Amino acid sequence: MSGKKDSQGEDVTPQRTGEPDDKKTVSPMPLASIAPIGDRSRETSKPEGAVRPPSAPRRPGRTVVLLAVGLLAITAILLSIRYLVPKPAKLMPVGTGFFQAELKGPGTLDAINKANVSSSLQGVITALHVDRNDVLRKGEIIAEISADDLRAQIGVARASQEAARKAVEAAYADSRRAEATLANARSTLAREMEMQRTGASSRSALEAAQTAVQQGEADLSKAQSFIRQAEAQEAQAAATVEMNQAQLDKSVIRAPIDGVVVARDLNLGDVVSPGTAIVELVDPSSIVLTARFDESAIASLSQGQGVKITFNSQGELPIDGKVLRIGREVDTETREFTVDITPQRLPSNWAIGQRSTAVIAIEGRSDVISVPASAIVRKDGHPGVWAVAGGRAAWRPVELGSIGGNLVEVRSGLNKGDVVMTDPKRVYAFMPVARSESRP
């Protein structure tokens, strides 16, 4: 094999590995390529054009494998806990029995006889004689309104009435004078007519007597007209006095009914306007509970039915009552109607608008499937129960009926012998359930 030679004819063919060192030709290293002592970066640098040996391929890390195994183990543990370990729950076997249906509805205290006492005049309250919880009788004074202008007007009206009365008296006097004058003229005419027949009187004297009679009749008619006019003016003045007196009487506010003052909205010195309530009166004997029920229950109610009333704000025992009247109008939005209930007694502390609950018992029935109200669970607005079969929980839709105390009638969806959870909490499908049965 012939080697390569440079321009001077020297052999520059590289030596093969394994050949003796004396056969190698070493090119001198440039001084610039020599790194200073301590410069590690230059010591490890590769000459330009050097080929780096390929690195060995990396294998999957053991960490990833361990993580995957751990996740699978955790998932298996969670699934075993969720679907293998039974959860204790209150269970009840479904059966049939006697069921007493009840209607329950919210209500508020109201009164049939009540009055918002106000003034028909505008003015300042100069006297206020009542306060909350005062018991009043009809006609008692509640408040007084300033009415100085009305008193002045009634004084003027009474003066006008007196002047009209005197004008009537003068008209009657004029009428009596006219009557006397007419009577004298008629007597004179009679004498003249008698003398005219005997020839003792002249024709002119007779005519003068006739004219005097006509004049007297006209004066009497005029006097009587003045009487009627004066009497009309007197009646008008009297009516004005009566009207002003009625207005003045309105400045004194009186109780329109017997009752208790349940509210006082204005104070002494306030300006009252027509229609503004000063106090609210309520007749305690007319207090009723106005309860609301769904329209589906209207056929089950009748006047005189017994009712149990429980007030939400008091811990007293239920109060007995009776249905007084049934409303004949259903609310178009809530589809509810009202029932007025008369309580046998009022609570120790009562207030108009106080909330309560009315429970009306309806006829009892036998062979009815019912479950506690706490067992009902709604999904998407549909009622259902969590039934237990084979130790697993499953949600079952049901059709509900009437309510009776803490029980709810189930018309369909359950059969005798089924087992339901009476207090389902955090229940899910196929959840293992411990079969510890207990009736609520």
Side-chain angles (χ1 to χ4, degrees), residues 32-319:
S33 64
I34 300 175
I37 298 174
D39 192 349
R40 302 295 182 181
S41 62
R42 292 186 177 272
E43 289 180 356
T44 57
S45 61
K46 301 292 184 178
E48 186 176 355
V51 179
R52 185 175 182 179
S55 59
R58 295 183 179 180
R59 293 177 298 174
R62 297 178 61 187
T63 304
V64 177
V65 176
L66 292 176
L67 287 176
V69 172
L71 289 175
L72 290 175
I74 293 174
T75 303
I77 293 172
L78 292 178
L79 290 175
S80 64
I81 293 175
R82 184 175 178 86
Y83 290 104
L84 296 179
V85 179
K87 309 300 188 301
K90 296 180 180 180
L91 306 180
M92 185 193 80
V94 175
T96 60
F98 180 80
F99 181 78
Q100 179 71 58
E102 295 177 345
L103 293 177
K104 181 181 294 186
T108 55
L109 277 186
D110 202 352
I112 297 175
N113 296 331
K114 60 182 179 179
N116 289 323
V117 183
S118 61
S119 173
S120 60
L121 304 177
Q122 182 170 352
V124 178
I125 299 177
T126 58
L128 193 57
H129 302 284
V130 300
D131 201 351
R132 294 183 183 91
N133 296 332
D134 287 349
V135 180
L136 301 180
R137 304 293 297 178
K138 181 178 180 179
E140 288 190 40
I141 297 177
I142 294 176
E144 297 179 29
I145 310 298
S146 60
D148 294 338
D149 53 344
L150 290 177
R151 292 188 179 90
Q153 291 177 10
I154 198 171
V156 173
R158 284 174 177 169
S160 299
Q161 183 184 18
E162 182 64 19
R165 186 184 64 78
K166 290 181 177 180
V168 171
E169 293 179 355
Y172 273 106
D174 291 342
S175 178
R176 288 192 295 271
R177 184 169 53 253
E179 288 177 356
T181 301
L182 178 59
N184 186 41
R186 286 174 177 172
S187 178
T188 301
L189 178 59
R191 287 195 303 272
E192 290 296 330
M193 292 177 66
E194 183 64 26
M195 292 173 65
Q196 184 68 31
R197 283 194 300 270
T198 59
S201 176
S202 62
R203 180 68 180 174
S204 59
L206 178 61
E207 292 177 352
Q210 290 175 342
T211 301
V213 170
Q214 293 176 355
Q215 184 66 39
E217 291 175 346
D219 291 342
L220 178 60
S221 177
K222 184 178 181 180
Q224 291 175 344
S225 177
F226 283 157
I227 290 175
R228 291 191 293 271
Q229 182 179 358
E231 288 178 341
Q233 291 176 350
E234 182 185 21
Q236 182 180 3
T240 302
V241 170
E242 186 177 354
M243 180 185 67
N244 290 334
Q245 184 62 50
Q247 290 292 100
L248 184 61
D249 292 340
K250 291 179 181 179
S251 65
V252 179
I253 311 302
R254 299 179 182 274
I257 59 173
D258 297 341
V260 177
V261 179
V262 297
R264 194 189 76 181
D265 300 326
L266 297 178
N267 300 309
L268 187 66
D270 288 345
V271 176
V272 61
S273 301
T276 302
I278 301 174
V279 298
E280 183 179 358
L281 282 180
V282 168
D283 182 3
S285 63
S286 68
I287 289 181
V288 295
L289 175 71
T290 301
R292 304 189 308 274
F293 297 96
D294 187 79
E295 63 178 345
S296 60
I298 194 169
S300 303
L301 298 179
S302 61
Q303 188 176 5
Q305 274 182 306
V307 185
K308 295 290 184 180
I309 304 171
T310 303
F311 288 91
N312 303 339
S313 59
Q314 301 187 15
E316 299 180 358
L317 294 175
I319 297 175

